[in-house]
Amino acid sequence: PAWEAPEADLLLEIPGELVLARDARAHRDYWPAKVLEYVKPQNPRQRPKYKVLFFDGTVKAIEPDLFWTTTDPEFATCQVCVYSQCCG
């Protein structure tokens, strides 16, 4: 059978889902962000991604394991970066 790209998570409101997201796997801190769109993988070796808008205006496509939604228990317990401590 031919490979088919997975669909977006139907539980996410796209666009508009509010999340806490990391911009890279190496970073521990999460930032407020909004999911803008789903980015389908083009081949079986690629992972699905979501384009998110971080609160500072940065837009980045990240894998779904780099963000938590308000329905995830980790949303309430993850380490959120305080802008004045991280950037000011």
Side-chain angles (χ1 to χ4, degrees):
W3 177 79
E4 289 188 33
E7 295 297 322
D9 183 339
L10 296 177
L11 298 177
L12 294 176
E13 181 181 334
I14 303 172
E17 185 81 27
L18 299 178
V19 298
L20 291 174
R22 294 187 293 167
D23 63 347
R25 208 166 292 291
H27 297 156
R28 291 184 340 199
D29 293 330
Y30 287 79
W31 296 87
K34 179 169 43 173
V35 177
L36 299 177
E37 66 183 79
Y38 176 65
V39 182
K40 274 189 180 182
Q42 300 302 304
N43 63 60
R45 291 185 306 274
Q46 290 181 334
R47 296 196 58 198
K49 294 185 177 185
Y50 291 86
K51 190 177 286 186
V52 300
L53 170 65
F54 287 93
F55 88 104
D56 66 353
T58 305
V59 175
K60 188 167 185 179
I62 61 172
E63 294 177 3
D65 61 348
L66 290 179
F67 64 82
W68 302 117
T69 69
T70 57
T71 59
D72 293 316
E74 295 87 352
F75 185 91
T77 60
C78 67
Q79 183 172 322
V80 177
C81 185
V82 177
Y83 187 77
S84 62
Q85 292 174 350
C86 295
C87 303

